[in-house]
Amino acid sequence: MTGSSRLVLAAVLLALVGCNSTPDRDSPIKTRQFRMDDIARSDVDMVAEIQIRFSMEHLRELMEKLYRRNPREWRKGGAASLEQAVERVFGAARSGRFAELRQQHGSDAIMLTFDEQYRGDRVLAFVEGLRGMILAAHNGKQTFYLTDELDPQKLYNAARNIEIAAWKLGHTRDSAGRLFLVSNETAGPVINLSYERLLGKLIALQDGMARIVAQSGNRRIKTIIQSVASAVFMPI
């Protein structure tokens, strides 16, 4: 794969980030300076780092929004504020230890969100589960070098799993007919689909990266067609 082809693919991936969104004019575009270790990175490595950074930013925004609509959840973890509950997952002091998740990770943690017997923070279970699943598809890394090799199938599977998680978030109800977590609002005078858009961006990022990795290594992705309503999470 030529350098110019990689850069074109990088541009396509970055374009996916802006799909269905309106730029915030007050927010500057984030850039970083050249680092010496960039010499040990390919174009694909750099794109992977950008993609995973955007994924984490979208997950953080998703967590904040879910906590605002479901304030009872962040209080379950003993946090003093919504912001503190988010920092617990995405802050610099993150420990990664969440006793209420029962040592579950990835899709298993997500499933706690929709377990009627679960009494822990359902927003934490959902977002931390997504975070772990996306990182697992990137071999647990957020920094990449020439010696690293990503598996496009894992990235593709992660995208499909996010689709399943998004469907469950908007449709799965408890025995009393109530959604486990309130997100999109399709009734009333104001329609709010911002949660769906954020999850859509996450799906697009994983799909875009899967295609870049597959093309860069001349590998194929086994695509799967299934109904999200009856689908089970795919292995990462």
Side-chain angles (χ1 to χ4, degrees), residues 55-64 86-87 90-91:
S55 292
M56 294 301 109
E57 289 175 359
H58 292 332
L59 282 173
R60 181 176 187 133
E61 184 180 355
L62 177 65
M63 187 171 221
E64 291 173 349
V86 174
E87 283 297 305
F90 294 100

Side-chain angles (χ1 to χ4, degrees), residues 73-132:
E73 299 302 325
W74 66 258
R75 296 189 177 99
K76 292 178 180 178
S81 66
L82 182 156
E83 292 74 20
Q84 188 180 89
V86 174
E87 283 297 305
R88 186 184 176 204
V89 176
F90 294 100
R94 169 190 165 88
S95 69
R97 295 188 295 272
F98 307 102
E100 59 267 55
L101 296 185
R102 306 172 182 172
Q103 299 183 331
Q104 300 300 314
H105 305 280
S107 59
D108 290 332
I110 294 172
M111 290 305 296
L112 289 176
T113 309
F114 312 106
D115 181 350
E116 195 153 8
Q117 303 305 314
Y118 182 61
R119 295 294 178 263
D121 182 342
R122 296 180 189 276
V123 172
L124 172 66
F126 188 76
V127 176
E128 176 65 15
L130 286 174
R131 182 184 184 278

Side-chain angles (χ1 to χ4, degrees), residues 218-230:
N218 194 27
R219 286 176 284 179
R220 299 186 65 179
I221 298 172
K222 181 180 179 181
T223 59
I224 297 175
I225 300 174
Q226 56 183 347
S227 169
V228 290
S230 58

Side-chain angles (χ1 to χ4, degrees), residues 177-194:
R178 298 168 298 201
L179 289 168
F180 284 99
L181 289 175
V182 181
S183 55
N184 293 316
E185 181 60 64
T186 57
V190 179
I191 295 176
N192 179 7
L193 298 178
S194 57

Side-chain angles (χ1 to χ4, degrees), residues 31-42 45-50 52-53 142-145:
T31 60
R32 69 171 180 82
Q33 298 296 318
F34 173 81
R35 301 193 304 248
M36 285 302 297
D37 61 357
D38 285 343
I39 297 173
R41 291 186 173 91
S42 67
D45 294 328
M46 293 183 182
V47 172
E49 287 191 12
I50 293 170
I52 197 72
R53 175 165 60 86
Q142 298 188 53
T143 302
F144 305 92
Y145 296 94

Side-chain angles (χ1 to χ4, degrees), residues 18-36:
C19 290
N20 301 319
S21 65
T22 302
D24 185 347
R25 296 180 181 178
D26 296 325
S27 299
I29 297 175
K30 296 180 181 180
T31 60
R32 69 171 180 82
Q33 298 296 318
F34 173 81
R35 301 193 304 248
M36 285 302 297

